[in-house]
Amino acid sequence: MTRRLQAAGYRVVVPANPLRGLKSDSAYLANVLKNVPGPVVLVGHSYGGEVITDAAAANPQVKALVYIAAIAPEKGESANDILGAYPGSELPGALNPLPYPRPDGSTGTDLYVKPDKFRAVFAADVPPVEARAMAAAQRPIDASALDARSEHAAWHTLPSWYAVARNDRTIPPAAERHMAERAGAHITEVDSSHAMAVSHPGAVTRVIEQAARATASR
């Protein structure tokens, strides 16, 4: 997807998502955005949707939000609120929680998707060999991030695009449609698993390009 956008002439920046907590992750991304010149189309997948929703609020350079099978919370809402309201996610039963030491001496909990569950829950339409590699390379998220409540909802003031994954087993498609419709997003539906950027990079690229073209003069 990055190569496709670069080939089309777009400058692409792919910052890391620390996955340590919504507030700190959003602050990290907001700081990265300060060093990106020109208008920005901000793209988030899965939990990354929460991060862009908060991080975009204070940056006038952000012209559009693009959600790819992502959490797009209202202010005061958490990922677990959304998953709790829309049953059907197979993620909770596939998670492996492991303790880890935080810098302040406390103990946090990292959440991994169990390797034997990864493809079915996260990447069902990705070839098995590639899905196994994805499972091996996955980065964990601090469990507290899923309970953290959004402090901003930038989609209230920014145009948004949303790619719904019709076959998602991580975020229920009904939840994705609800969030997209609530945000007034331009909606595209794709017959995809949660790993849409891997299994349908062309469809994801087209949604991002739509957002870029529509907001080029903003």
Side-chain angles (χ1 to χ4, degrees):
M1 190 176 67
T2 296
R3 288 192 293 269
R4 290 168 184 255
L5 290 167
Q6 289 174 332
Y10 294 100
R11 182 182 182 217
V12 181
V13 178
V14 187
N17 187 349
L19 303 177
R20 297 298 83 188
L22 181 56
K23 187 171 183 176
S24 61
D25 293 345
S26 300
Y28 177 86
L29 178 58
N31 189 67
V32 171
L33 293 174
K34 292 177 183 177
N35 299 294
V36 178
V40 174
V41 172
L42 201 51
V43 183
H45 169 252
S46 198
Y47 162 74
E50 292 187 82
V51 177
I52 69 169
T53 300
D54 270 13
N59 192 317
Q61 291 294 91
V62 178
K63 305 302 181 183
L65 301 171
V66 178
Y67 296 96
I68 307 299
I71 300 292
E74 176 61 276
K75 182 178 180 180
E77 192 173 48
S78 73
N80 281 340
D81 288 337
I82 293 165
L83 294 177
Y86 288 86
S89 173
E90 297 178 15
L91 182 63
L95 292 174
N96 183 25
L98 294 175
Y100 76 93
R102 291 192 174 117
D104 64 2
S106 64
T107 299
T109 300
D110 265 341
L111 299 177
Y112 293 84
V113 180
K114 296 174 184 177
D116 62 333
K117 304 284 189 182
F118 186 93
R119 184 168 185 261
V121 173
F122 201 88
D125 54 355
V126 174
V129 171
E130 188 170 4
R132 285 197 297 272
M134 291 169 64
Q138 67 176 296
R139 292 171 53 237
I141 186 170
D142 188 299
S144 67
L146 301 182
D147 279 323
R149 301 192 178 281
S150 178
E151 295 184 1
H152 306 282
W155 47 260
H156 278 294
T157 56
L158 290 171
S160 60
W161 280 253
Y162 199 113
V164 172
R166 289 195 184 111
N167 303 319
D168 202 327
R169 297 176 184 172
T170 296
I171 302 175
E176 295 180 12
R177 293 186 186 102
H178 162 72
M179 291 183 286
E181 291 167 0
R182 178 177 65 181
H186 303 269
I187 301 172
T188 298
E189 296 212 3
V190 182
D191 290 326
S192 175
S193 70
H194 192 59
M196 190 188 301
V198 178
S199 59
H200 294 83
V204 173
T205 300
R206 286 190 291 274
V207 172
I208 296 170
E209 288 182 314
Q210 287 170 14
R213 287 194 297 266
T215 59
S217 60
R218 281 176 60 89

